[in-house]
């Protein structure tokens, strides 16, 4: 069965890694060590080509305030104001990490899966759904933003869905 970290009231570590995988590992490792149980955690964000992959691991606090979706989105739009459509490539990236704690003489085991959803950024928010950068991100193969596509479609094709599906596939083989 699956137990959420919130229900266990486990401490949340400081996410000071240098990559999505580093931050996901920090969270999964802290949870596994606090509970003695296998733990899964993820970290994700938006990587913009013309910004050298930024905001990346700083996506949630791009404007300087953690979790201020409106300010983060507006700052990114301002930074890209003069960037032409052909140069507005971006991707959402997610790293999912499984930590199996050391036990019975076995060393800790870490499995990391990273997946992306390629797309492009539009010039203004489109749609009411989603959160964060969803209103300006149009996934490859679609002509609507994540905010317009709806949760069911987004959750089926997203970077997080791809990473978790691959992790589940890995676990089924074990």
């Amino acid at each position: 069965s699956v137990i959420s970290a919130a229900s266990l009231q486990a401490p949340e570590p400081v996410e000071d890694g240098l990559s999505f995988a580093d931050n996901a590992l920090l969270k999964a490792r802290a949870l596994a060590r606090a509970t003695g149980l296998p733990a899964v955690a993820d970290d994700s964000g938006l990587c913009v080509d013309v910004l050298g992959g930024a905001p990346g691991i700083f996506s949630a606090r791009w404007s300087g305030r953690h979790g201020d979706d409106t300010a983060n989105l507006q700052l990114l739009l301002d930074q890209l104001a003069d960037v032409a459509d052909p140069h507005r490539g971006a991707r959402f990236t997610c790293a999912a990490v499984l930590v199996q704690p050391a036990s019975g003489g076995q060393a800790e085991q870490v499995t990391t899966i990273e997946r992306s959803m390629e797309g492009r950024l539009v010039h203004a928010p489109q749609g009411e759904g989603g959160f964060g950068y969803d209103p300006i991100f149009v996934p490859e193969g679609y002509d609507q933003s994540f905010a317009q596509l709806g949760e069911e479609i987004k959750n089926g094709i997203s970077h997080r869905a791809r990473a978790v599906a691959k992790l589940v596939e890995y676990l089924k083989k074990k």
Side-chain angles (χ1 to χ4, degrees):
S1 74
V2 176
I3 304 167
S4 74
S7 69
L8 294 172
Q9 299 178 338
E12 288 191 35
V14 174
E15 294 180 41
D16 57 2
L18 299 178
S19 69
F20 296 119
D22 288 347
N23 285 335
L25 177 59
L26 286 167
K27 292 185 276 190
R29 183 172 276 150
L31 186 57
R33 288 181 177 168
T35 64
L37 300 170
V40 173
D42 74 284
D43 194 48
S44 63
L46 179 67
C47 304
V48 180
D49 294 344
V50 298
L51 297 179
I57 60 171
F58 303 108
S59 293
R61 55 187 180 275
W62 192 235
S63 66
R65 293 180 303 278
H66 191 277
D68 188 341
D69 289 352
T70 302
N72 290 335
L73 187 135
Q74 190 56 56
L75 176 58
L76 185 61
L77 284 175
D78 291 346
Q79 291 170 324
L80 299 175
D82 295 331
V83 177
D85 288 348
H87 306 291
R88 295 175 76 90
R91 74 204 42 75
F92 274 115
T93 299
C94 176
V97 173
L98 165 67
V99 171
Q100 295 168 288
S103 73
Q106 290 276 50
E108 175 187 78
Q109 293 180 18
V110 175
T111 304
T112 303
I113 305 286
E114 194 163 308
R115 291 293 181 268
S116 295
M117 176 82 239
E118 298 290 329
R120 63 185 170 81
L121 301 177
V122 293
H123 293 266
Q126 300 175 1
E128 300 298 319
F131 63 93
Y133 301 101
D134 288 356
I136 62 169
F137 182 81
V138 177
E140 197 170 80
Y142 291 82
D143 58 5
Q144 293 181 307
S145 74
F146 263 164
Q148 293 170 301
L149 289 173
E151 289 299 310
E152 188 173 331
I153 292 174
K154 178 188 168 186
N155 291 340
I157 65 170
S158 77
H159 51 300
R160 185 170 282 115
R162 291 175 178 191
V164 170
K166 192 68 176 174
L167 193 56
V168 168
E169 182 182 310
Y170 166 80
L171 288 170
K172 286 181 178 179
K173 290 179 181 177
K174 287 195 86 163

